């Protein structure tokens, strides 16, 4: 897979609203983690999917701890010191890494999600991730379109959720 | 009230049974449990019988295989005039997403009675 398709972090660009955005891999920096908690704490509940992100700062903190404690790769989109998007790959199950992506509402529709998703996949490839899967509610058409755009294929669609998969190798 | 509880080996299935038994103690519900597992008398059923023994209440326990679980729960509820079906709230993926799965989805869409998912 070429770097062009799935570039590695860090990556800087101007979004469709002219805002300077930088995508970086998330490390152990407590300030950066706190900024991410703050993003989710203010996240619009209408944009939750399948129970995540949870509601309430404590629950958000617990959820993120669970992600970070496991084997996971995380990239965050920054506008200055403000976290405005987060995408994650979490190991588990018997078929590679589960993917999820969230863009903070004031920054949605500005081209950040696509770049965040591709950069996460580039970060995954660089770390040897080969198979990525996700589930998405079948009425979430904009998310499904985004996943299809980067190459995800629907594996199963018999339930309320679609299962999609992408092979990176 | 007549309450039908479906219990399989998923995360909160036994929690759903506990919830139904607690309420039964307060509201004098009549509780029936359908154990969902491959073989009758397996690990899930013994967990269920343990819970029931601890509350000292008469509870009818039946068995069904996983593939017919959804349709069996719905048809028992209809035929025997249950008021409610109670199930565990679903499993969580590595990411923490809730997944309902085939049985819950089938019951929610096809039951004529109230369906409660316990989290």
């Amino acid at each position: 897979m070429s770097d062009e398709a799935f570039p590695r972090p860090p990556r800087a660009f101007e979004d469709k609203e002219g805002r300077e955005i930088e995508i970086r891999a998330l490390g152990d920096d407590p300030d950066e983690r706190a900024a991410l908690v703050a993003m989710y704490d203010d996240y619009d509940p209408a944009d939750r999917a399948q129970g995540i992100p949870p509601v309430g700062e404590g629950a958000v903190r617990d959820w993120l701890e669970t992600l970070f404690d496991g084997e996971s790769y995380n990239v965050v989109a920054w506008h200055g010191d403000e976290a405005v998007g987060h995408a994650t790959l979490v190991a588990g199950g018997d078929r590679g890494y589960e993917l999820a992506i969230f863009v903070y509402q004031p920054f949605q529709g500005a081209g950040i999600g696509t770049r965040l998703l591709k950069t996460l996949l580039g970060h995954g490839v660089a770390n040897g991730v080969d198979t990525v899967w996700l589930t998405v509610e079948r009425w979430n058409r904009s998310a499904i379109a985004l996943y299809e755009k980067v190459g995800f294929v629907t594996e199963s669609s018999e339930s309320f959720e679609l299962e999609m998969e992408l092979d990176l190798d | 009230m007549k309450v039908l509880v479906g219990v399989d080996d998923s995360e909160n299935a036994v929690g759903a049974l506990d919830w139904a038994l607690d309420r039964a103690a307060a509201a004098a519900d009549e509780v029936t449990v359908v154990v969902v597992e491959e073989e009758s008398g397996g690990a899930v059923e013994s967990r269920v019988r343990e819970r029931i023994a601890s509350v000292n209440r008469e509870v009818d326990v039946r068995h069904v295989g996983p593939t017919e679980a959804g349709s069996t729960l719905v048809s028992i509820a209809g035929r025997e005039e249950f008021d409610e079906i109670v199930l565990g709230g679903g499993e969580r993926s590595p990411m923490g997403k809730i997944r309902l799965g085939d049985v819950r989805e089938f019951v929610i869409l096809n039951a004529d009675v109230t369906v409660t998912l316990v989290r």
Side-chain angles (χ1 to χ4, degrees):
Chain A
M1 203 62 73
S2 72
D3 269 7
E4 211 134 301
F6 299 135
R8 298 178 188 190
R11 210 180 158 202
F13 60 94
E14 197 171 272
D15 78 1
K16 287 177 189 164
E17 305 287 328
R19 293 169 295 206
E20 290 297 329
I21 304 294
E22 192 181 357
I23 298 173
R24 297 195 301 270
L26 185 71
D28 296 333
D29 185 332
D31 290 342
E32 293 196 341
R33 290 187 172 194
L36 192 57
V37 171
M39 177 189 99
Y40 281 121
D41 196 31
D42 194 45
Y43 204 79
D44 185 345
D47 277 359
R48 300 173 76 205
Q50 298 148 291
I52 59 170
V55 172
E57 194 189 318
V60 165
R61 214 176 278 280
D62 289 348
W63 172 59
L64 289 175
E65 286 305 320
T66 313
L67 293 192
F68 299 151
D69 283 351
E71 190 188 340
S72 70
Y73 299 104
N74 296 275
V75 295
V76 174
W78 298 95
H79 178 55
D81 293 336
E82 189 185 8
V84 301
H86 173 215
T88 181
L89 290 169
V90 182
D94 50 7
R95 46 184 188 143
Y97 287 74
E98 185 181 9
L99 179 145
I101 176 169
F102 298 91
V103 177
Y104 186 43
Q105 285 73 27
F107 289 80
Q108 289 181 1
I112 295 172
T114 306
R115 288 188 176 88
L116 191 58
L117 180 58
K118 288 180 176 175
T119 310
L120 174 70
L121 292 169
H123 188 44
V125 169
N127 285 285
V129 171
D130 52 7
T131 306
V132 175
W133 62 275
L134 59 87
T135 60
V136 55
E137 290 162 357
R138 57 167 58 255
W139 48 85
N140 195 348
R141 287 175 188 278
S142 58
I144 294 166
L146 172 62
Y147 297 135
E148 284 175 343
K149 193 161 75 176
V150 301
F152 276 89
V153 174
T154 300
E155 293 284 304
S156 146
S157 58
E158 283 163 23
S159 69
F160 294 179
E161 298 148 3
L162 297 186
E163 279 184 34
M164 304 182 84
E165 196 172 290
L166 173 65
D167 281 322
L168 290 169
D169 52 6
Chain B
M1 201 157 85
K2 283 183 72 173
V3 182
L4 188 62
V5 187
V7 182
D8 60 11
D9 64 355
S10 68
E11 272 171 37
N12 204 30
V14 173
L17 173 60
D18 288 342
W19 180 87
L21 291 173
D22 279 352
R23 199 187 53 182
D29 294 332
E30 184 186 316
V31 178
T32 298
V33 177
V34 174
V35 172
V36 180
E37 63 184 333
E38 289 293 345
E39 300 290 327
S40 177
V44 177
E45 185 174 331
S46 55
R47 232 173 297 153
V48 164
R49 293 199 182 277
E50 221 170 85
R51 285 309 214 278
I52 292 169
S54 74
V55 297
N56 192 27
R57 163 175 290 274
E58 189 88 353
V59 176
D60 183 13
V61 179
R62 308 181 195 179
H63 167 263
V64 65
T67 50
E68 321 90 79
S71 57
T72 302
L73 284 163
V74 168
S75 64
I76 291 175
R79 199 173 54 230
E80 300 180 30
E81 299 187 335
F82 278 84
D83 301 295
E84 181 187 20
I85 298 173
V86 175
L87 301 169
E91 302 223 73
R92 287 196 181 262
S93 74
M95 176 75 57
K97 283 186 174 179
I98 292 167
R99 313 200 59 190
L100 291 180
D102 298 345
V103 174
R104 286 177 201 82
E105 290 186 8
F106 185 92
V107 171
I108 289 167
L109 291 174
N110 294 291
D112 290 326
V113 300
T114 300
V115 178
T116 300
L117 301 182
V118 179
R119 293 217 168 104

